[in-house]
Amino acid sequence: MTNKDFGLNDTQIMMRDAAEVFAQERLKPMSPKWDKSAEHPIEVIRELGDMGFFGLTVPEEWGGTEAGYLSLALVVEAIAKGDGALSTITSVMNSVVCGPLLSFGSDEQKATWLKPLASGEKLGAFCLSEPQSGSDAANLKCQARETDNGWVLSGTKQFITNGAIADLAIVFAVTDASAGKKGISAFLVPTHLPGFEVSRVEEKMGQHASDTAQLTFNDIELPADALLGSEGKGYGIALANLEGGRIGIAAQCLGMAQAAHEVACQYALERTSFGKPLMQHQGVSFRLADMATQIEAARQLVWHAARLKDAGLPCLREAAMAKYLASEMAEKVCSDAMQTLGGYGYLSDFPLEQIARDVRVAKIYEGTSDIQKLIIARSIEEQGA
């Protein structure tokens, strides 16, 4: 057993190794092309699901592999080394698409949607954020009005991963405006229904292979059984899966940081300056040593949060810490890697420029760094340490 495998079981090692091979052979060679063309490679995305990477926390009876959250962290990290955008899709499909259906869906809803989502046959989107509400997740304007036949959904959602390619949207809407957070409900919305509109696919700084869309719901008629969980429980459903989402994005940061570090190390070994390899200059070697230490420290925190989640223990604080530290670390590591390459690090001919753009959003989505610090600070206040 190598240090890399220590503490991992056979399933975790198998899933990680399969993801690493797929990422390096299928994703990494195509990643620059997808980045330049803003192409959303649907067939490759479905391949990720076919390999079991979208249902890592879903029981086998509902189409998943039930490999757990540590396996999720390992797989997302490996995929992120090949392409950051597709690692976002992998994290989203596991945590905030399959997660709510597994925890709150009826058997009929699981059979209809969870099975094909976990297997990659269908794709899903998690629709919480709105133009006026990001971090303030309870400030929703999207509404669902009850009718004799079910519900009528109207409103707009913003910054929705998979919004333009999803088969199912999990939509959070106000069903009782007078009840505050307790007046929010969750709905399963097939995207083929009349009134579902992809208003815009955003042009972004990075992660171009993952679509981020604005969605508009124009009085979509939904049956009564489109309600996920019970009425008024939507806010709790939304928050219940954020731990897994934060673990996934933290793992993504590890993968992109590791990829940047490897580029910098290889360059430092091959490039000579003042008559010797860059690696033999203390300023460069110490920088690379710092980068490696920061990546490993973040990895251990991510794994700790994932293991707590797998054990069924509370890990809100630990997931917030992992996501905060890993996202801050990854941006710095990418910057230091670019510094090691000098002018070449700034060119789009080299991979660091893309990685640096792709990693920047990790400090924003699944809760900004400030939100993570708020969660950590509240836990300190409540626990006294």
Side-chain angles (χ1 to χ4, degrees), residues 165-376:
I165 62 173
D167 301 287
L168 175 74
I170 301 177
V171 181
F172 296 84
V174 175
T175 50
D176 183 354
S178 66
K181 295 178 181 178
K182 295 182 179 180
I184 296 171
S185 302
F187 295 90
L188 302 179
V189 183
T191 60
H192 69 267
L193 291 180
F196 185 97
E197 178 186 349
V198 179
S199 311
R200 182 172 65 246
V201 176
E202 304 292 355
E203 296 183 11
K204 302 176 296 184
M205 175 180 174
Q207 298 209 16
H208 295 154
S210 169
D211 75 282
T212 302
Q214 183 185 85
L215 305 177
T216 301
F217 313 124
N218 300 301
D219 293 331
I220 299 177
E221 295 183 2
L222 299 172
D225 61 5
L227 185 67
L228 179 64
S230 56
E231 185 179 350
K233 300 298 183 182
Y235 190 71
I237 292 173
L239 296 186
N241 295 280
L242 292 182
E243 291 174 351
R246 286 164 182 163
I247 290 169
I249 297 306
Q252 171 191 75
C253 292
L254 296 176
M256 287 192 275
Q258 188 67 50
H261 184 252
E262 290 176 5
V263 170
C265 288
Q266 190 64 36
Y267 187 83
L269 289 168
E270 296 175 353
R271 173 82 175 201
T272 59
S273 179
F274 300 102
K276 58 183 178 181
L278 286 180
M279 184 65 81
Q280 294 181 15
H281 293 278
Q282 190 177 80
V284 173
S285 63
F286 277 18
R287 182 189 302 129
L288 295 171
D290 283 341
M291 293 159 66
T293 302
Q294 292 161 21
I295 293 170
E296 190 58 36
R299 180 177 290 116
Q300 294 305 315
L301 189 51
V302 174
W303 285 19
H304 177 56
R307 285 181 168 127
L308 289 174
K309 186 73 173 171
D310 279 334
L313 296 172
C315 63
L316 182 63
R317 169 178 170 143
E318 289 79 7
M321 287 178 169
K323 201 269 185 182
Y324 168 58
L325 181 66
S327 60
E328 297 284 337
M329 172 278 298
E331 186 180 36
K332 185 177 188 307
V333 164
C334 287
S335 178
D336 287 347
M338 293 177 73
Q339 195 69 24
T340 302
L341 269 67
Y344 289 110
Y346 199 65
L347 299 180
S348 58
D349 292 345
F350 287 73
L352 292 179
E353 180 265 347
Q354 180 186 339
I355 297 172
R357 287 187 288 104
D358 286 349
V359 83
R360 180 58 183 85
V361 73
K363 291 168 61 174
I364 298 172
Y365 57 16
E366 291 288 358
T368 65
S369 290
D370 286 341
I371 289 295
Q372 308 310 322
K373 287 190 281 188
L374 179 64
I375 292 168
I376 298 163

Side-chain angles (χ1 to χ4, degrees), residues 86-99:
L86 267 62
S87 72
T88 294
I89 294 172
T90 304
S91 179
V92 165
M93 286 296 297
N94 277 278
S95 58
V96 294
V97 173
C98 289

